[in-house]
Amino acid sequence: VPGASARKSLDAGESHVIVTSWVFVDGKLSRERLAELVGAVGRERIVLDLSCRKHPDDPCGPYHVVMDKWQRFTDCTVTRELLAELAASCDEFLVHGVDVEGKGCGIEDELVRQLGEWSPLPVTYAGGCRDLEDIERVRELGGGRVDVTIGSALDIFGGALPYADVVQWDKREVIRSSPLPACTP
């Protein structure tokens, strides 16, 4: 997503551009490319999409950002410091738990918890969500600071989770989390 292409999408009406592996070159974060994109469209129009997994040699270790169809590990591990650094160049994060993505086998609890604790920006988690309990789990583990996106688990995409149930859950959450209107005497 070079700057000119991103600008074209925004001029056509998109609110944000979602940027994935383009900001990595040879497995390393390219701060130059990120700065180029920010200069072209402004940080407030950028969503950084970080695909994450644990390294197979260290399954108890940190999550790493991966690229190239989730096969190549970058030099970035998901930390409070990394998210703070990247936050200066984007408006929000989209974070994939790639080991559960599209499998409907449950979410990456540890990753969701870390995102809720560490992200200084709005963050949406994607991966493994299979039912309303998983949606609620993201809300709880993320401390109400992590949103969730659901794909193949939805009935509209061939899964078992009724889209209408998700909409109803979301409406209840909005009502539950909205401040009560001020009372006037």
Side-chain angles (χ1 to χ4, degrees), residues 9-90:
S9 295
L10 295 170
D11 290 344
E14 298 293 328
S15 66
H16 289 76
V17 291
I18 299 175
V19 184
T20 59
S21 298
W22 184 80
V23 297
F24 293 92
V25 176
D26 296 324
K28 296 182 183 341
L29 176 65
S30 172
R31 288 165 178 83
E32 296 77 21
R33 279 189 170 190
L34 198 50
E36 173 191 335
L37 188 61
V38 170
V41 302
R43 70 167 286 283
E44 69 282 354
R45 307 295 293 276
I46 299 170
V47 175
L48 277 180
D49 182 338
L50 304 173
S51 297
C52 303
R53 73 175 355 148
K54 290 189 177 251
H55 199 284
D57 294 337
D58 189 10
C60 295
Y63 285 90
H64 297 265
V65 178
V66 293
M67 58 185 282
D68 297 337
K69 299 179 183 172
W70 305 340
Q71 301 305 305
R72 184 172 182 188
F73 285 82
T74 70
D75 65 344
C76 293
T77 57
V78 179
T79 62
R80 181 184 312 270
E81 295 75 21
L82 176 69
L83 295 175
E85 176 187 352
L86 295 176
S89 301
C90 66

Side-chain angles (χ1 to χ4, degrees), residues 110-131:
E110 181 183 354
L111 181 58
V112 171
R113 187 178 303 109
Q114 290 172 348
L115 295 172
E117 291 175 8
W118 297 345
S119 182
L121 296 176
V123 59
T124 299
Y125 168 82
C129 197
R130 62 191 163 203
D131 52 31

